[in-house]
PDB file of all heavy atoms in Angstrom:
ATOM      1  N   LEU L 191      13.859   2.521  -5.540  1.00  0.00           N
ATOM      2  CA  LEU L 191      14.910   1.514  -5.655  1.00  0.00           C
ATOM      3  C   LEU L 191      15.161   1.004  -7.067  1.00  0.00           C
ATOM      4  O   LEU L 191      16.313   0.723  -7.422  1.00  0.00           O
ATOM      5  CB  LEU L 191      14.574   0.326  -4.742  1.00  0.00           C
ATOM      6  CG  LEU L 191      14.592   0.601  -3.238  1.00  0.00           C
ATOM      7  CD1 LEU L 191      14.167  -0.628  -2.468  1.00  0.00           C
ATOM      8  CD2 LEU L 191      15.977   1.049  -2.795  1.00  0.00           C
ATOM      9  N   ILE L 192      14.134   0.854  -7.869  1.00  0.00           N
ATOM     10  CA  ILE L 192      14.337   0.186  -9.162  1.00  0.00           C
ATOM     11  C   ILE L 192      15.425   0.869 -10.000  1.00  0.00           C
ATOM     12  O   ILE L 192      16.371   0.211 -10.453  1.00  0.00           O
ATOM     13  CB  ILE L 192      13.013   0.065  -9.944  1.00  0.00           C
ATOM     14  CG1 ILE L 192      12.122  -1.024  -9.310  1.00  0.00           C
ATOM     15  CG2 ILE L 192      13.268  -0.277 -11.404  1.00  0.00           C
ATOM     16  CD1 ILE L 192      10.757  -1.163  -9.962  1.00  0.00           C
ATOM     17  N   PRO L 193      15.361   2.181 -10.259  1.00  0.00           N
ATOM     18  CA  PRO L 193      16.446   2.777 -11.061  1.00  0.00           C
ATOM     19  C   PRO L 193      17.814   2.635 -10.423  1.00  0.00           C
ATOM     20  O   PRO L 193      18.799   2.362 -11.119  1.00  0.00           O
ATOM     21  CB  PRO L 193      16.019   4.250 -11.177  1.00  0.00           C
ATOM     22  CG  PRO L 193      14.548   4.243 -10.985  1.00  0.00           C
ATOM     23  CD  PRO L 193      14.290   3.157  -9.967  1.00  0.00           C
ATOM     24  N   LEU L 194      17.894   2.811  -9.092  1.00  0.00           N
ATOM     25  CA  LEU L 194      19.188   2.679  -8.429  1.00  0.00           C
ATOM     26  C   LEU L 194      19.740   1.269  -8.554  1.00  0.00           C
ATOM     27  O   LEU L 194      20.949   1.070  -8.738  1.00  0.00           O
ATOM     28  CB  LEU L 194      19.046   3.051  -6.952  1.00  0.00           C
ATOM     29  CG  LEU L 194      18.917   4.544  -6.630  1.00  0.00           C
ATOM     30  CD1 LEU L 194      18.557   4.732  -5.166  1.00  0.00           C
ATOM     31  CD2 LEU L 194      20.202   5.291  -6.961  1.00  0.00           C
ATOM     32  N   LEU L 195      18.876   0.274  -8.450  1.00  0.00           N
ATOM     33  CA  LEU L 195      19.332  -1.116  -8.464  1.00  0.00           C
ATOM     34  C   LEU L 195      19.730  -1.594  -9.855  1.00  0.00           C
ATOM     35  O   LEU L 195      20.548  -2.499  -9.990  1.00  0.00           O
ATOM     36  CB  LEU L 195      18.245  -2.028  -7.891  1.00  0.00           C
ATOM     37  CG  LEU L 195      17.958  -1.875  -6.388  1.00  0.00           C
ATOM     38  CD1 LEU L 195      16.772  -2.727  -5.982  1.00  0.00           C
ATOM     39  CD2 LEU L 195      19.181  -2.269  -5.562  1.00  0.00           C
ATOM     40  N   ILE L 196      19.127  -1.018 -10.912  1.00  0.00           N
ATOM     41  CA  ILE L 196      19.436  -1.507 -12.257  1.00  0.00           C
ATOM     42  C   ILE L 196      20.386  -0.577 -12.994  1.00  0.00           C
ATOM     43  O   ILE L 196      20.699  -0.820 -14.174  1.00  0.00           O
ATOM     44  CB  ILE L 196      18.150  -1.712 -13.088  1.00  0.00           C
ATOM     45  CG1 ILE L 196      17.457  -0.385 -13.371  1.00  0.00           C
ATOM     46  CG2 ILE L 196      17.224  -2.695 -12.397  1.00  0.00           C
ATOM     47  CD1 ILE L 196      16.269  -0.514 -14.327  1.00  0.00           C
ATOM     48  N   GLY L 197      20.844   0.500 -12.353  1.00  0.00           N
ATOM     49  CA  GLY L 197      21.804   1.381 -12.995  1.00  0.00           C
ATOM     50  C   GLY L 197      21.203   2.450 -13.872  1.00  0.00           C
ATOM     51  O   GLY L 197      21.895   3.017 -14.724  1.00  0.00           O
ATOM     52  N   ALA L 198      19.920   2.753 -13.667  1.00  0.00           N
ATOM     53  CA  ALA L 198      19.254   3.797 -14.455  1.00  0.00           C
ATOM     54  C   ALA L 198      19.303   5.118 -13.701  1.00  0.00           C
ATOM     55  O   ALA L 198      19.433   5.145 -12.484  1.00  0.00           O
ATOM     56  CB  ALA L 198      17.817   3.417 -14.771  1.00  0.00           C
ATOM     57  N   ASN L 199      19.159   6.216 -14.423  1.00  0.00           N
ATOM     58  CA  ASN L 199      19.117   7.531 -13.790  1.00  0.00           C
ATOM     59  C   ASN L 199      17.715   7.996 -13.467  1.00  0.00           C
ATOM     60  O   ASN L 199      17.529   8.941 -12.710  1.00  0.00           O
ATOM     61  CB  ASN L 199      19.822   8.576 -14.663  1.00  0.00           C
ATOM     62  CG  ASN L 199      21.331   8.425 -14.594  1.00  0.00           C
ATOM     63  OD1 ASN L 199      21.894   8.112 -13.548  1.00  0.00           O
ATOM     64  ND2 ASN L 199      21.999   8.627 -15.728  1.00  0.00           N
ATOM     65  N   ASP L 200      16.728   7.353 -14.051  1.00  0.00           N
ATOM     66  CA  ASP L 200      15.351   7.686 -13.738  1.00  0.00           C
ATOM     67  C   ASP L 200      14.431   6.633 -14.333  1.00  0.00           C
ATOM     68  O   ASP L 200      14.886   5.693 -14.990  1.00  0.00           O
ATOM     69  CB  ASP L 200      14.969   9.070 -14.285  1.00  0.00           C
ATOM     70  CG  ASP L 200      13.913   9.774 -13.418  1.00  0.00           C
ATOM     71  OD1 ASP L 200      13.088   9.066 -12.807  1.00  0.00           O
ATOM     72  OD2 ASP L 200      13.928  11.004 -13.358  1.00  0.00           O
ATOM     73  N   MET L 201      13.138   6.790 -14.094  1.00  0.00           N
ATOM     74  CA  MET L 201      12.146   5.922 -14.703  1.00  0.00           C
ATOM     75  C   MET L 201      12.039   6.210 -16.195  1.00  0.00           C
ATOM     76  O   MET L 201      12.456   7.264 -16.679  1.00  0.00           O
ATOM     77  CB  MET L 201      10.780   6.137 -14.043  1.00  0.00           C
ATOM     78  CG  MET L 201      10.697   5.569 -12.645  1.00  0.00           C
ATOM     79  SD  MET L 201      10.677   3.760 -12.688  1.00  0.00           S
ATOM     80  CE  MET L 201      10.493   3.409 -10.946  1.00  0.00           C
ATOM     81  N   ALA L 202      11.446   5.278 -16.923  1.00  0.00           N
ATOM     82  CA  ALA L 202      11.301   5.431 -18.370  1.00  0.00           C
ATOM     83  C   ALA L 202      10.408   6.620 -18.702  1.00  0.00           C
ATOM     84  O   ALA L 202      10.635   7.321 -19.702  1.00  0.00           O
ATOM     85  CB  ALA L 202      10.739   4.151 -18.980  1.00  0.00           C
ATOM     86  N   PHE L 203       9.374   6.889 -17.886  1.00  0.00           N
ATOM     87  CA  PHE L 203       8.419   7.948 -18.149  1.00  0.00           C
ATOM     88  C   PHE L 203       8.309   8.844 -16.903  1.00  0.00           C
ATOM     89  O   PHE L 203       7.429   8.644 -16.057  1.00  0.00           O
ATOM     90  CB  PHE L 203       7.042   7.375 -18.498  1.00  0.00           C
ATOM     91  CG  PHE L 203       7.077   6.363 -19.615  1.00  0.00           C
ATOM     92  CD1 PHE L 203       6.702   5.050 -19.375  1.00  0.00           C
ATOM     93  CD2 PHE L 203       7.474   6.711 -20.890  1.00  0.00           C
ATOM     94  CE1 PHE L 203       6.725   4.109 -20.391  1.00  0.00           C
ATOM     95  CE2 PHE L 203       7.493   5.780 -21.912  1.00  0.00           C
ATOM     96  CZ  PHE L 203       7.129   4.469 -21.670  1.00  0.00           C
ATOM     97  N   PRO L 204       9.188   9.832 -16.779  1.00  0.00           N
ATOM     98  CA  PRO L 204       9.213  10.636 -15.545  1.00  0.00           C
ATOM     99  C   PRO L 204       7.922  11.390 -15.279  1.00  0.00           C
ATOM    100  O   PRO L 204       7.479  11.486 -14.130  1.00  0.00           O
ATOM    101  CB  PRO L 204      10.380  11.604 -15.785  1.00  0.00           C
ATOM    102  CG  PRO L 204      11.223  10.954 -16.843  1.00  0.00           C
ATOM    103  CD  PRO L 204      10.284  10.188 -17.692  1.00  0.00           C
ATOM    104  N   ARG L 205       7.274  11.935 -16.308  1.00  0.00           N
ATOM    105  CA  ARG L 205       6.044  12.696 -16.100  1.00  0.00           C
ATOM    106  C   ARG L 205       4.902  11.788 -15.669  1.00  0.00           C
ATOM    107  O   ARG L 205       4.097  12.145 -14.809  1.00  0.00           O
ATOM    108  CB  ARG L 205       5.667  13.473 -17.367  1.00  0.00           C
ATOM    109  CG  ARG L 205       6.674  14.542 -17.729  1.00  0.00           C
ATOM    110  CD  ARG L 205       6.464  15.096 -19.139  1.00  0.00           C
ATOM    111  NE  ARG L 205       7.580  15.962 -19.516  1.00  0.00           N
ATOM    112  CZ  ARG L 205       8.746  15.530 -19.962  1.00  0.00           C
ATOM    113  NH1 ARG L 205       8.956  14.226 -20.101  1.00  0.00           N
ATOM    114  NH2 ARG L 205       9.706  16.374 -20.265  1.00  0.00           N
ATOM    115  N   LEU L 206       4.822  10.632 -16.294  1.00  0.00           N
ATOM    116  CA  LEU L 206       3.803   9.664 -15.892  1.00  0.00           C
ATOM    117  C   LEU L 206       4.048   9.218 -14.451  1.00  0.00           C
ATOM    118  O   LEU L 206       3.106   8.964 -13.697  1.00  0.00           O
ATOM    119  CB  LEU L 206       3.828   8.464 -16.833  1.00  0.00           C
ATOM    120  CG  LEU L 206       2.722   7.424 -16.638  1.00  0.00           C
ATOM    121  CD1 LEU L 206       1.356   8.036 -16.927  1.00  0.00           C
ATOM    122  CD2 LEU L 206       2.950   6.209 -17.532  1.00  0.00           C
ATOM    123  N   ASN L 207       5.303   9.151 -14.065  1.00  0.00           N
ATOM    124  CA  ASN L 207       5.650   8.785 -12.708  1.00  0.00           C
ATOM    125  C   ASN L 207       5.121   9.825 -11.716  1.00  0.00           C
ATOM    126  O   ASN L 207       4.550   9.482 -10.666  1.00  0.00           O
ATOM    127  CB  ASN L 207       7.174   8.670 -12.574  1.00  0.00           C
ATOM    128  CG  ASN L 207       7.601   7.797 -11.430  1.00  0.00           C
ATOM    129  OD1 ASN L 207       6.850   6.962 -10.942  1.00  0.00           O
ATOM    130  ND2 ASN L 207       8.823   7.983 -10.972  1.00  0.00           N
ATOM    131  N   ALA L 208       5.305  11.107 -12.042  1.00  0.00           N
ATOM    132  CA  ALA L 208       4.789  12.171 -11.177  1.00  0.00           C
ATOM    133  C   ALA L 208       3.261  12.127 -11.130  1.00  0.00           C
ATOM    134  O   ALA L 208       2.660  12.270 -10.055  1.00  0.00           O
ATOM    135  CB  ALA L 208       5.264  13.527 -11.690  1.00  0.00           C
ATOM    136  N   PHE L 209       2.629  11.927 -12.276  1.00  0.00           N
ATOM    137  CA  PHE L 209       1.167  11.829 -12.296  1.00  0.00           C
ATOM    138  C   PHE L 209       0.682  10.683 -11.424  1.00  0.00           C
ATOM    139  O   PHE L 209      -0.288  10.817 -10.661  1.00  0.00           O
ATOM    140  CB  PHE L 209       0.681  11.636 -13.729  1.00  0.00           C
ATOM    141  CG  PHE L 209      -0.820  11.429 -13.839  1.00  0.00           C
ATOM    142  CD1 PHE L 209      -1.659  12.506 -13.928  1.00  0.00           C
ATOM    143  CD2 PHE L 209      -1.362  10.150 -13.844  1.00  0.00           C
ATOM    144  CE1 PHE L 209      -3.043  12.327 -14.018  1.00  0.00           C
ATOM    145  CE2 PHE L 209      -2.721   9.959 -13.924  1.00  0.00           C
ATOM    146  CZ  PHE L 209      -3.562  11.050 -14.018  1.00  0.00           C
ATOM    147  N   ALA L 210       1.363   9.533 -11.509  1.00  0.00           N
ATOM    148  CA  ALA L 210       0.955   8.358 -10.745  1.00  0.00           C
ATOM    149  C   ALA L 210       1.002   8.616  -9.244  1.00  0.00           C
ATOM    150  O   ALA L 210       0.195   8.074  -8.490  1.00  0.00           O
ATOM    151  CB  ALA L 210       1.835   7.155 -11.104  1.00  0.00           C
ATOM    152  N   TYR L 211       1.957   9.452  -8.802  1.00  0.00           N
ATOM    153  CA  TYR L 211       1.957   9.792  -7.376  1.00  0.00           C
ATOM    154  C   TYR L 211       0.836  10.764  -7.033  1.00  0.00           C
ATOM    155  O   TYR L 211       0.044  10.540  -6.111  1.00  0.00           O
ATOM    156  CB  TYR L 211       3.289  10.399  -6.938  1.00  0.00           C
ATOM    157  CG  TYR L 211       3.137  11.063  -5.587  1.00  0.00           C
ATOM    158  CD1 TYR L 211       2.975  10.303  -4.437  1.00  0.00           C
ATOM    159  CD2 TYR L 211       3.078  12.454  -5.459  1.00  0.00           C
ATOM    160  CE1 TYR L 211       2.768  10.898  -3.204  1.00  0.00           C
ATOM    161  CE2 TYR L 211       2.878  13.058  -4.228  1.00  0.00           C
ATOM    162  CZ  TYR L 211       2.720  12.281  -3.108  1.00  0.00           C
ATOM    163  OH  TYR L 211       2.494  12.859  -1.885  1.00  0.00           O
ATOM    164  N   TRP L 212       0.748  11.877  -7.758  1.00  0.00           N
ATOM    165  CA  TRP L 212      -0.138  12.956  -7.341  1.00  0.00           C
ATOM    166  C   TRP L 212      -1.609  12.588  -7.447  1.00  0.00           C
ATOM    167  O   TRP L 212      -2.444  13.146  -6.719  1.00  0.00           O
ATOM    168  CB  TRP L 212       0.166  14.231  -8.133  1.00  0.00           C
ATOM    169  CG  TRP L 212       1.400  14.902  -7.637  1.00  0.00           C
ATOM    170  CD1 TRP L 212       2.635  14.916  -8.224  1.00  0.00           C
ATOM    171  CD2 TRP L 212       1.532  15.641  -6.413  1.00  0.00           C
ATOM    172  NE1 TRP L 212       3.529  15.617  -7.458  1.00  0.00           N
ATOM    173  CE2 TRP L 212       2.882  16.075  -6.331  1.00  0.00           C
ATOM    174  CE3 TRP L 212       0.658  15.969  -5.392  1.00  0.00           C
ATOM    175  CZ2 TRP L 212       3.355  16.823  -5.262  1.00  0.00           C
ATOM    176  CZ3 TRP L 212       1.135  16.723  -4.327  1.00  0.00           C
ATOM    177  CH2 TRP L 212       2.462  17.144  -4.266  1.00  0.00           C
ATOM    178  N   VAL L 213      -1.969  11.634  -8.303  1.00  0.00           N
ATOM    179  CA  VAL L 213      -3.379  11.240  -8.378  1.00  0.00           C
ATOM    180  C   VAL L 213      -3.821  10.554  -7.091  1.00  0.00           C
ATOM    181  O   VAL L 213      -5.020  10.491  -6.783  1.00  0.00           O
ATOM    182  CB  VAL L 213      -3.614  10.328  -9.620  1.00  0.00           C
ATOM    183  CG1 VAL L 213      -3.064   8.928  -9.388  1.00  0.00           C
ATOM    184  CG2 VAL L 213      -5.098  10.258  -9.965  1.00  0.00           C
ATOM    185  N   ASN L 214      -2.861  10.073  -6.292  1.00  0.00           N
ATOM    186  CA  ASN L 214      -3.209   9.473  -5.014  1.00  0.00           C
ATOM    187  C   ASN L 214      -3.721  10.499  -4.001  1.00  0.00           C
ATOM    188  O   ASN L 214      -4.496  10.146  -3.102  1.00  0.00           O
ATOM    189  CB  ASN L 214      -1.980   8.786  -4.393  1.00  0.00           C
ATOM    190  CG  ASN L 214      -1.636   7.484  -5.078  1.00  0.00           C
ATOM    191  OD1 ASN L 214      -2.348   6.497  -4.953  1.00  0.00           O
ATOM    192  ND2 ASN L 214      -0.537   7.488  -5.804  1.00  0.00           N
ATOM    193  N   VAL L 215      -3.283  11.743  -4.117  1.00  0.00           N
ATOM    194  CA  VAL L 215      -3.618  12.735  -3.095  1.00  0.00           C
ATOM    195  C   VAL L 215      -5.117  13.054  -3.090  1.00  0.00           C
ATOM    196  O   VAL L 215      -5.774  12.946  -2.045  1.00  0.00           O
ATOM    197  CB  VAL L 215      -2.758  14.001  -3.265  1.00  0.00           C
ATOM    198  CG1 VAL L 215      -3.156  15.048  -2.228  1.00  0.00           C
ATOM    199  CG2 VAL L 215      -1.279  13.652  -3.130  1.00  0.00           C
TER     200      VAL L 215
END
Side-chain angles (χ1 to χ4, degrees):
L191 294 177
I192 286 177
L194 285 171
L195 292 174
I196 66 173
N199 285 323
D200 210 330
M201 287 289 183
F203 308 117
R205 295 168 189 81
L206 186 64
N207 203 21
F209 176 87
Y211 165 71
W212 284 105
V213 75
N214 286 289
V215 178

